Amino acid sequence: MASPIADLTYRNYDGPLEPPVNRWWAIAKMSMRLSTKKRGFWVWSTFSCFWYGILLIIFYVNDTLAAANPMGQQVSLLKGLVWKDQFLNAFSESQLFLFILALLTGAGSIANDNRAKALLVYLSKPCTKLDYVIGKWLGIFIPITLVTTVPAVVFYLYCLMSYRSYGFWSQDPWLFVQLMGMVLIPGTLYASITLAISSLFEQGRLAGAVFAGVYFISYFVTLLMELVHTQMTMGGNEVPPIVNNLFYASIDGLQIGMLKIILHTNGSPKFPIQLGQMSTRMQVPEPSTFLFIPLFLVICAGSVLLAWSQIRAVEVVR
Amino acid sequence: MVVASQVSRWYGQVIGVNDVTCEIGPGITALLGMNGAGKTTLIRLITGQLRPTTGVLTVFGLQPFANPEVYRRMGYCPEIDNFYEHYSGRDFVRYLARLDGMSAAKAASRTDEVIDMVGMTERAGRRIAGYSKGMRQRIKLAQAMLHDPDLILLDEPLNGLDPVGRREFMDLLHGLAENGKGILVSSHILFEVEQMTRSLLLLHRGRLLATGDLGVIRSLIDKHPHQIRIDTDEPRRAAELLASVPNIVSMKFDRSGEALELEVREPAAFYDALSAAILERGLLVRGLSSPDNNLESVFKYLVEA
Amino acid sequence: MEQAIFFQALRENLRLRRFLPWIVLGVLLVFGFGHLWSTFQPDASLEQRYGTVSSILVFHILALTSAILTSTILSQEIEQKTIVYLVTRPVPRWKLLLFRYLACGLVVSFLGGFNAVCASVGVYGSLGAGASLAKDIAAIVVGAFAYGAFFMFLGLLFNRAMIMCLLFAFGWETMVPNMPGQMCYLSINSYLQAIAQHPSQGGNKGLGLLTSTAGDNTLTSSVGYMAMIGFAVALVALSAWWFSTFEYLPREDAE
């Protein structure tokens, strides 16, 4: 047990460790409790569902009007709709809000601990660096994933009950499984990136500023490339591969790319109206699965590793 | 220097300081109170970081809020432990010296002086991020004394200082007080405050419980008679000699049988009688003490009341 | 005293850790896109390409830089609680604010100017943008101080102003200049575009949207200068009054 020579490290506990779940889960719970106490978390979470709300209204009104029309379903906008693309579009529209949620929940997660020197407290408990990282990661991942999951599932169930006659089920019977994969993407990426950025700073505000800077600047690249793609397509020009690749070179782009791969679609126009072949061509095509998934995983794993390497059990005086 | 008249400060529905009226003059004054008593709020009101919700507070006859004229004559050592961590101690103090309006050369020389006064000369070139608690405390003290202010406010200044540092610091304060400076020290470490001053301001739950000299305050607390302990080989004879003295509330022998413990209402009259007993009746006394004539007891009695 | 405030703020903003990322960003993003733009818009003239890259990247990054650097002029001091040392010194609060603002404006101007140079080198391969570059730099300096004044004021009003500033920089400043009627005049970017006088995007609505020139902006360069200088002066004065009037305490709940 204890040696006659004093242990001068911060870790004094050398008894048996509880099963890991108790340790990282305690940290995750604490992080989530802090996030969900913020009013902004609930406000932005609600806003993030807005596109589903708009779609619900459009579908409901359209369906009601179609029922009143002698031609019925023949003229309905819902006819020929690519259902999985509606989830992709709803996700795209919610990205700004998810970014704000990540900013609220993740930017200060390690930075605030650095400032308060709370890392020393955490790591003086029977809790490893890995427990800490996993706990913090889950503390960001779970809230964001819940925010993406709940409206998607509600919308899915509503469509399943109401629009089977428009091909909701027959078009893609595996859609629910795909959706369950899709909803994990934002949480995974945001948790990894914010954790990495947060670990580099001692102030949540600075970490948030850097994260916001990275997000907006890279988002602008995506926006720019989307426009260039549209312009070139409309002008009948061949779109160079660099445009399509750069479209995915952002935090938003990475997620959209992954979602397109999971849903196996290029996407369709935001509003559920049929614009013909051109509208389909104007969508930036799905990225290469074999290159993109490893890239996504490397970015996430690299970010978590960076955070892990930054966490020190002792106070380092520089 | 500081005059507060019926000063109250509310934070929403929480009251920080409630109807405080007091004056603070030259010399060392201790601001005492438990956590949450309103010490920091009162200091923030005096340093003009806050405005009173009601009442009037003046420093050198001026309203202190955002008033450079007041800050020219006031130094403040806050309780917080925050700095520009990437600065060296010397750079930090020099920057604040420049904000005090000193020229670059004057700021540099004055910085060296105050850093020397707080015993940080050899370590002032290092980054603050690497400082110990005591070193950080010394740097805070240094910046408070930079412009040779007439009034210095120190919020929990002894936190983190080692015993030698505390002694040096107290000597420094006494020196400043002897030169006519006003010094307000906020603390809840009573025995240390007692070594610094007998003049106090006692706050409890935002209200001013007592102000003035510790001895005077103690003598005014009638509810609790003064406890006096006489160490003697003849406790029973001592009891016999002193029994007739008026204002003695109770007497008892301690368990060892070598001391007499008394409770007395007017200690001055009692000490006269005791002197007479010793000198005229030959009572042999080995020791005399008053266990509750100290800051801690005064604090306890007032807060309990 | 004023010098000390100014140079301390300058020193803070020029710390390598804070400054270098913006320089790297300028080189990678602005220069990179300037260089690549001939692929995306092969028919456009060099001047048009430079104008497009400058409008899309340089001016948006200017707003972003200003949002991040200027909104923290005081909020960072409040959060790290060092505000106490500043507000209890014999220096008028307005001076504290003004000289910090000036230092921040200078740094943002420099970074914006650097980005404009990167755009010019990316597009022309040299400083060939000439007159356009000079006009851009003038617009950038004016913009740095106008954005700075606005973000500083927001930073004084709200605890967590940075999110608002970022939404303004990327949401408002991208959308409002493209709105019809008089709405575009509610955006700082419209005035900066008026000062910079980039070549028109013609009928290209998409590029018009991204360059924030799709609205009915008929402002002249001189109106742009006057409006922005007036706006900055008014907001700085308002901020100085605000900071001198209201209490600024360290945040106990800072996160």
Side-chain angles (χ1 to χ4, degrees):
Chain A
M1 184 60 184
S3 151
I5 298 169
D7 178 5
L8 295 181
T9 65
Y10 282 94
R11 177 179 299 286
N12 296 316
Y13 184 84
D14 60 354
L17 296 180
E18 287 296 308
V21 65
N22 293 339
R23 291 178 263 140
W24 51 257
W25 182 236
I27 296 171
K29 270 197 299 188
M30 176 60 87
S31 304
M32 284 189 281
R33 197 170 297 148
L34 279 175
S35 306
T36 50
K37 268 186 186 169
K38 292 174 186 162
R39 194 176 45 185
F41 176 84
W42 298 103
V43 172
W44 295 114
S45 297
T46 310
F47 279 146
S48 74
C49 314
F50 88 101
W51 195 255
Y52 287 112
I54 289 175
L55 288 179
L56 284 178
I57 293 167
I58 292 174
F59 291 175
Y60 176 78
V61 171
N62 190 263
D63 197 35
T64 312
L65 289 178
N69 192 304
M71 294 289 284
Q73 289 191 356
Q74 300 301 312
V75 295
S76 173
L77 285 179
L78 301 175
K79 191 172 180 296
L81 201 68
V82 183
W83 287 99
K84 61 185 174 185
D85 288 352
Q86 307 317 311
F87 289 92
L88 179 68
N89 291 340
F91 169 76
S92 302
E93 292 300 317
S94 71
Q95 280 190 310
L96 181 66
F97 304 108
L98 293 179
F99 151 73
I100 295 173
L101 284 174
L103 200 64
L104 285 174
T105 57
S109 60
I110 298 182
N112 289 337
D113 284 351
N114 280 338
R115 190 184 56 185
K117 305 208 185 322
L119 267 173
L120 307 183
V121 178
Y122 276 114
L123 297 172
S124 64
K125 308 281 176 221
C127 156
T128 65
K129 237 165 94 163
L130 195 63
D131 290 328
Y132 179 79
V133 173
I134 292 174
K136 286 288 175 184
W137 191 87
L138 282 175
I140 307 165
F141 170 80
I142 293 174
I144 294 179
T145 303
L146 284 176
V147 170
T148 51
T149 306
V150 172
V153 170
V154 170
F155 186 71
Y156 178 87
L157 292 175
Y158 172 74
C159 292
L160 186 68
M161 288 187 285
S162 308
Y163 303 121
R164 280 201 305 277
S165 56
Y166 291 102
F168 182 79
W169 174 259
S170 58
Q171 210 176 71
D172 209 337
W174 290 99
L175 181 57
F176 189 78
V177 177
Q178 289 171 312
L179 283 182
M180 289 301 98
M182 181 189 104
V183 294
L184 300 177
I185 298 299
T188 307
L189 188 67
Y190 279 129
S192 308
I193 290 180
T194 53
L195 209 61
I197 293 176
S198 188
S199 71
L200 296 171
F201 294 89
E202 289 192 355
Q203 281 184 47
R205 194 176 295 270
L206 276 183
V210 170
F211 174 51
V214 171
Y215 176 86
F216 278 116
I217 289 167
S218 66
Y219 171 69
F220 217 70
V221 173
T222 292
L223 208 63
L224 199 59
M225 290 304 103
E226 189 177 22
L227 179 86
V228 170
H229 180 94
T230 308
Q231 299 275 312
M232 291 185 128
T233 310
M234 284 174 74
N237 298 320
E238 186 69 24
V239 181
I242 190 168
V243 173
N244 293 341
N245 291 336
L246 280 176
F247 173 83
Y248 295 112
S250 70
I251 296 179
D252 272 10
L254 273 169
Q255 295 174 76
I256 292 173
M258 281 302 292
L259 264 53
K260 283 184 175 180
I261 288 170
I262 291 171
L263 296 173
H264 198 50
T265 178
N266 289 340
S268 49
K270 291 267 159 60
F271 282 99
I273 48 177
Q274 285 77 51
L275 293 174
Q277 275 257 303
M278 180 60 85
S279 69
T280 312
R281 277 184 54 211
M282 273 160 55
Q283 305 301 316
V284 179
E286 178 189 341
S288 157
T289 307
F290 297 106
L291 289 176
F292 205 77
I293 292 179
L295 176 73
F296 182 84
L297 293 175
V298 164
I299 288 172
C300 292
S303 300
V304 175
L305 267 178
L306 176 63
W308 190 81
S309 69
Q310 286 292 312
I311 294 164
R312 294 186 180 93
V314 290
E315 190 178 342
V316 177
V317 176
R318 281 165 290 185
Chain B
M1 287 176 173
V2 179
V3 179
S5 173
Q6 294 181 308
V7 170
S8 298
R9 168 69 201 202
W10 294 79
Y11 300 100
Q13 291 191 320
V14 177
I15 193 158
V17 160
N18 186 0
D19 199 27
V20 167
T21 298
C22 65
E23 286 187 26
I24 299 167
I28 303 176
T29 305
L31 178 59
L32 304 172
M34 296 193 288
N35 291 336
K39 301 189 296 289
T40 299
T41 300
L42 186 59
I43 286 191
R44 283 178 175 173
L45 286 165
I46 297 170
T47 52
Q49 297 175 67
L50 292 175
R51 279 200 182 97
T53 312
T54 59
V56 179
L57 189 144
T58 57
V59 180
F60 306 119
L62 300 164
Q63 304 274 349
F65 184 83
N67 189 341
E69 289 307 313
V70 171
Y71 300 133
R72 245 180 266 288
R73 300 176 62 189
M74 178 198 286
Y76 175 44
C77 168
E79 186 190 5
I80 55 157
D81 192 30
N82 300 63
F83 298 86
Y84 304 112
E85 300 281 340
H86 53 284
Y87 276 37
S88 70
R90 181 172 283 109
D91 283 351
F92 176 72
V93 177
R94 190 161 42 207
Y95 169 55
L96 294 179
R98 297 280 281 130
L99 290 193
D100 283 333
M102 295 179 204
S103 66
K106 170 76 180 158
S109 65
R110 182 63 186 158
T111 297
D112 288 343
E113 274 176 43
V114 289
I115 281 180
D116 188 47
M117 281 165 81
V118 297
M120 281 289 290
T121 304
E122 285 166 19
R123 295 162 290 184
R126 281 167 43 188
R127 278 167 50 120
I128 294 176
Y131 280 3
S132 68
K133 176 95 178 163
M135 289 155 80
R136 297 162 86 90
Q137 205 67 22
R138 285 164 194 259
I139 287 294
K140 275 199 297 185
L141 291 174
Q143 64 80 30
M145 296 187 297
L146 262 173
H147 50 306
D148 194 23
D150 295 326
L151 173 66
I152 304 178
L153 294 110
L154 309 161
D155 202 351
E156 306 285 358
L158 299 174
N159 286 357
L161 284 180
D162 55 48
V164 176
R166 283 170 194 229
R167 175 46 47 207
E168 289 170 358
F169 173 66
M170 285 183 204
D171 291 344
L172 185 65
L173 286 193
H174 282 300
L176 291 169
E178 280 166 16
N179 289 331
K181 309 281 185 198
I183 297 167
L184 181 68
V185 185
S186 145
S187 182
H188 52 249
I189 306 172
L190 300 181
F191 79 94
E192 282 176 348
V193 171
E194 206 169 0
Q195 289 170 34
M196 272 190 255
T197 182
R198 303 280 293 173
S199 170
L200 58 92
L201 271 170
L202 178 58
L203 285 175
H204 185 57
R205 292 184 183 167
R207 301 208 61 143
L208 186 65
L209 278 190
T211 175
D213 181 77
L214 173 64
V216 176
I217 294 170
R218 177 66 190 93
S219 65
L220 292 173
I221 303 174
D222 292 336
K223 191 180 165 190
H224 297 275
H226 288 246
Q227 292 173 10
I228 294 171
R229 179 187 165 95
I230 302 170
D231 291 304
T232 172
D233 294 334
E234 316 166 286
R236 291 185 182 280
R237 181 160 171 258
E240 183 193 333
L241 290 174
L242 295 170
S244 59
V245 176
N247 294 321
I248 290 183
V249 178
S250 71
M251 277 184 181
K252 66 176 179 182
F253 303 109
D254 87 334
R255 286 185 182 172
S256 64
E258 292 180 353
L260 177 65
E261 292 173 350
L262 304 104
E263 285 188 323
V264 175
R265 282 233 184 273
E266 283 183 24
F270 170 78
Y271 288 129
D272 288 344
L274 180 63
S275 308
I278 294 169
L279 294 173
E280 292 163 18
R281 311 290 290 270
L283 178 66
L284 208 62
V285 172
R286 280 189 283 107
L288 183 68
S289 60
S290 179
D292 71 343
N293 189 16
N294 57 34
L295 186 52
E296 196 168 338
S297 304
V298 169
F299 186 81
K300 195 175 136 208
Y301 292 154
L302 288 172
V303 168
E304 279 175 356
Chain C
M1 185 190 290
E2 294 82 1
Q3 268 183 354
I5 303 167
F6 180 80
F7 284 111
Q8 191 263 355
L10 206 58
R11 180 180 160 182
E12 281 295 301
N13 282 308
L14 292 178
R15 284 169 66 199
L16 202 62
R17 217 178 141 175
R18 189 178 281 203
F19 191 68
L20 196 61
W22 293 108
I23 296 291
V24 173
L25 183 78
V27 173
L28 288 182
L29 199 69
V30 183
F31 171 79
F33 270 93
H35 190 66
L36 282 173
W37 204 255
S38 59
T39 316
F40 306 146
Q41 210 182 1
D43 306 331
S45 67
L46 281 175
E47 195 188 355
Q48 268 184 323
R49 280 185 218 155
Y50 170 77
T52 307
V53 172
S54 173
S55 293
I56 293 177
L57 289 174
V58 176
F59 282 85
H60 279 100
I61 293 177
L62 176 75
L64 178 75
T65 319
S66 188
I68 289 179
L69 295 185
T70 325
S71 68
T72 57
I73 279 184
L74 274 174
S75 59
Q76 199 178 329
E77 298 277 358
I78 295 172
E79 188 183 335
Q80 67 191 21
K81 301 183 181 179
T82 42
I83 186 85
V84 171
Y85 298 111
L86 304 181
V87 296
T88 55
R89 293 281 146 190
V91 45
R93 288 191 179 190
W94 66 265
K95 277 191 184 176
L96 269 177
L97 199 72
L98 178 67
F99 288 97
R100 289 179 145 241
Y101 161 76
L102 290 176
C104 232
L106 192 65
V107 173
V108 175
S109 300
F110 174 80
L111 289 170
F114 176 77
N115 285 340
V117 169
C118 284
S120 173
V121 175
V123 171
Y124 287 87
S126 65
L127 293 178
S132 299
L133 179 62
K135 275 192 280 184
D136 267 8
I137 289 176
I140 283 165
V141 173
V142 172
F145 285 97
Y147 278 125
F150 183 64
F151 294 141
M152 178 173 73
F153 185 58
L154 286 184
L156 286 174
L157 288 186
F158 303 106
N159 276 354
R160 295 174 199 282
M162 193 180 285
I163 290 182
M164 269 180 251
C165 295
L166 289 170
L167 289 177
F168 177 85
F170 267 88
W172 183 275
E173 289 294 272
T174 306
M175 283 191 299
V176 174
N178 296 322
M179 287 185 170
Q182 314 294 307
M183 277 298 286
C184 63
Y185 300 137
L186 294 178
S187 155
I188 294 174
N189 200 354
S190 297
Y191 295 88
L192 302 186
Q193 292 299 334
I195 295 171
Q197 295 287 328
H198 290 141
S200 158
Q201 295 297 337
N204 194 332
K205 202 70 181 166
L207 270 185
L209 285 172
L210 265 191
T211 51
S212 305
T213 52
D216 303 327
N217 185 352
T218 55
L219 292 168
T220 61
S221 176
S222 51
V223 171
Y225 276 115
M226 282 191 292
M228 284 299 95
I229 291 170
F231 175 76
V233 170
L235 270 183
V236 169
L238 184 60
S239 302
W241 172 79
W242 195 277
F243 184 49
S244 303
T245 306
F246 294 100
E247 294 166 353
Y248 282 88
L249 282 178
R251 272 175 212 139
E252 302 300 335
D253 62 337
E255 278 171 24

